[in-house]
Amino acid sequence: MKLDGTKKRFIIIPSVAVCGFSLFLQFTYIINSDNAERLRMIQDTYFPIFEIASTCAARLDRITELLSSGASTGEIELIYSAREQALIMLERIKLLRKLEPQRKQDIDELNEAFKAYYQNAETLSLQVVRNELTLGNLPGQKETQNMQQQLEQTQRALNEFRKYSYDNFLTTIEEANRSSAIGLRLGAIVGITTVVIIVVTSVSIGATIRD
């Protein structure tokens, strides 16, 4: 009977080792898979959104500068340059919709605000350059305020997208770090538990053999 008991204990040792190693591999696989998905979201979504929002904000400043300079100097080429920048910006906003389809309404509002601002601003700048402004068609205070509001709405939306993507980026990195730390702790627990069981079983076998 003692021999049978010893044989069973000998079987327990590799069984425990295999189970412990299997658990460790399972935890590692789950954690690595989750972290890989988090990194994919950063690479494919959050960073591109941050990059687009940042470049569009800079491009918007450049557009307002070109329109203002074109109107003040009478160089229509500057206004055409602003138009090229505006077309690029509209394409970049369209890309936002592909990256973040669940925020389609916000992106559409951004798109409409920018288009409305640019159309009004370009029209006014061209009228100034072409000397088409008269006392009868000067923009009123309400029109000027609307154009300013459209510009500010565009700026706010771009800043919000930039903050949103940056916050998601940081949150995702923190989750990945936290997940890795949990994986290390679980691996240590499984490893220590496995070693303890093997040691206890080995001691028991040794005591049985001596008996």
Side-chain angles (χ1 to χ4, degrees):
M1 294 296 294
K2 287 185 177 181
L3 185 58
D4 290 339
T6 302
K7 287 181 178 180
K8 290 179 181 179
R9 292 188 183 95
F10 272 120
I11 295 173
I12 289 174
I13 293 176
S15 298
V16 170
V18 170
C19 289
F21 187 64
S22 297
L23 284 173
F24 175 74
L25 287 180
Q26 187 175 1
F27 287 138
T28 302
Y29 175 78
I30 292 172
I31 290 169
N32 287 342
S33 296
D34 290 343
N35 284 345
E37 177 62 19
R38 292 185 180 102
L39 292 176
R40 186 194 66 79
M41 288 295 294
I42 290 174
Q43 181 177 352
D44 296 345
T45 303
Y46 301 140
F47 181 76
I49 289 175
F50 180 80
E51 188 269 337
I52 289 172
S54 298
T55 56
C56 280
R59 185 168 278 115
L60 181 61
D61 290 340
R62 178 60 176 161
I63 288 169
T64 57
E65 179 185 332
L66 287 169
L67 291 175
S68 177
S69 297
S72 61
T73 62
E75 297 182 42
I76 199 168
E77 291 80 8
L78 295 178
I79 298 177
Y80 292 154
S81 295
R83 184 181 299 173
E84 292 175 1
Q85 293 295 316
L87 291 174
I88 294 172
M89 184 163 167
L90 287 171
E91 286 299 315
R92 301 296 283 173
I93 293 174
K94 188 184 299 183
L95 181 56
L96 273 181
R97 192 181 292 113
K98 294 181 180 178
L99 291 170
E100 198 74 313
Q102 64 268 31
R103 299 195 63 185
K104 180 180 182 298
Q105 182 177 349
D106 294 335
I107 297 169
D108 287 344
E109 290 175 359
L110 164 63
N111 187 69
E112 292 305 314
F114 172 67
K115 285 172 65 176
Y117 159 74
Y118 183 77
Q119 289 170 359
N120 292 330
E122 183 188 273
T123 298
L124 179 60
S125 298
L126 286 173
Q127 287 176 333
V128 172
V129 171
R130 294 167 178 167
N131 295 317
E132 295 176 351
L133 283 180
T134 65
L135 291 177
N137 65 359
L138 283 173
Q141 183 178 2
K142 183 177 181 181
E143 292 174 328
T144 304
Q145 287 178 343
N146 286 341
M147 189 168 62
Q148 182 63 29
Q149 288 173 356
Q150 290 156 357
L151 174 60
E152 291 174 355
Q153 182 181 351
T154 304
Q155 292 170 331
R156 283 195 304 270
L158 290 173
N159 288 334
E160 194 277 331
F161 269 102
R162 184 163 50 183
K163 182 179 184 302
Y164 157 80
S165 58
Y166 182 71
D167 289 345
N168 278 329
F169 172 81
L170 290 182
T171 300
T172 305
I173 291 296
E174 289 173 358
E175 288 175 350
N177 290 336
R178 188 161 51 247
S179 178
S180 296
I182 291 172
L184 289 174
R185 286 196 293 270
L186 287 175
I189 291 170
V190 170
I192 292 171
T193 303
T194 301
V195 169
V196 169
I197 293 174
I198 291 174
V199 169
V200 170
T201 305
S202 299
V203 170
S204 176
I205 292 172
T208 302
I209 293 175
R210 284 195 297 272
D211 292 340

